[in-house]
Amino acid sequence: RAKGKNPFFGADAADPSIGQLLLLSKEQLIRRVLADPRIEVYGCGTGDIRSGQIDRRVLATMLYLATSGLKPTITSLKCGHGTYTASGNVSEHTTGTAMDIGAINGIVITPATQGPGSITDLTIQRLLKLQGTMKPHQIISLMTFEGADNTISMGDHDDHIHVGWRPLYGENREAAKQIDAVLKPEQWIKLID
């Protein structure tokens, strides 16, 4: 603003820095992700984004990767992903706080494109630079990184990179469902009052 420019609105907002992207509102992130030709999202995943079901950290990370020169192909968000993981846990995809990346720069993630010096390695190294609330608590592929507490190697992630965050509103979705079942609509109004 010292130069009289506003990096978040108008013509000056055309090419914000990575730091500026991470500060955008969810609505701004939605618009940018959907309009960015460097980010490819599968059909119903676009609907998840458009309807506001995807966490802003996921959206900001998509833009972060694209602005860093890594064009992500998102193959799973909320829509189309099962409720449970292969290990029986509730998937973070159900809360809109996870994404699967199936390709980077058009290079499909496979066992052959994972390992030191690979596109997967480069992508995870970039993801490991995210800090604070932007830091994913899970980066799952076939790779782990020494000193990183959030990289996990799992054999069923040989065709994608899973990036997930803990929901900001809490993890106990079952308790929330029970509360919804206990209170009737008129009781919610009374509670809000």
Side-chain angles (χ1 to χ4, degrees):
R1 294 222 172 87
K3 294 182 180 179
K5 296 183 178 185
N6 185 341
F8 299 112
F9 181 75
D12 301 329
D15 294 312
S17 69
I18 289 172
Q20 291 167 330
L21 285 172
L22 298 177
L23 295 173
L24 293 175
S25 72
K26 185 171 180 177
E27 292 74 24
Q28 291 169 316
L29 289 168
I30 289 170
R31 283 194 300 274
R32 284 192 179 270
V33 165
L34 292 174
D36 197 318
R38 302 170 297 181
I39 300 170
E40 187 177 328
V41 181
Y42 67 111
C44 67
T46 301
D48 286 346
I49 294 169
R50 189 171 282 117
S51 65
Q53 296 182 69
I54 304 304
D55 190 281
R56 71 172 309 283
R57 296 168 294 177
V58 175
L59 301 170
T61 300
M62 289 180 200
L63 287 167
Y64 164 71
L65 290 172
T67 303
S68 300
L70 299 172
K71 301 173 187 174
T73 299
I74 309 304
T75 54
S76 186
L77 291 167
K78 190 172 181 178
C79 172
H81 196 281
T83 303
Y84 296 97
T85 64
S87 58
N89 297 315
V90 174
S91 171
E92 290 175 342
H93 288 274
T94 63
T95 61
T97 58
M99 66 176 164
D100 290 344
I101 303 169
I104 294 285
N105 295 347
I107 301 169
V108 176
I109 306 297
T110 67
T113 58
Q114 298 196 42
S118 67
I119 194 70
T120 303
D121 180 35
L122 178 63
T123 302
I124 294 173
Q125 292 286 354
R126 196 71 43 88
L127 291 168
L128 289 173
K129 293 181 181 189
L130 294 168
Q131 300 175 21
T133 59
M134 285 302 301
K135 178 185 174 183
H137 87 97
Q138 290 181 335
I139 303 172
I140 307 174
S141 65
L142 295 179
M143 304 175 69
T144 58
F145 291 77
E146 191 173 326
D149 62 354
N150 58 348
T151 59
I152 303 164
S153 175
M154 294 179 74
D156 63 346
H157 286 67
D158 62 344
D159 63 351
H160 67 280
I161 305 166
H162 168 89
V163 188
W165 292 260
R166 287 189 175 90
L168 291 175
Y169 57 82
E171 296 182 47
N172 194 345
R173 293 175 54 86
E174 291 306 311
K177 287 180 186 174
Q178 290 173 357
I179 290 170
D180 285 342
V182 171
L183 295 177
K184 299 192 177 1
E186 62 274 3
Q187 291 172 314
W188 276 109
I189 294 168
K190 194 172 185 179
L191 177 66
I192 292 168
D193 285 342

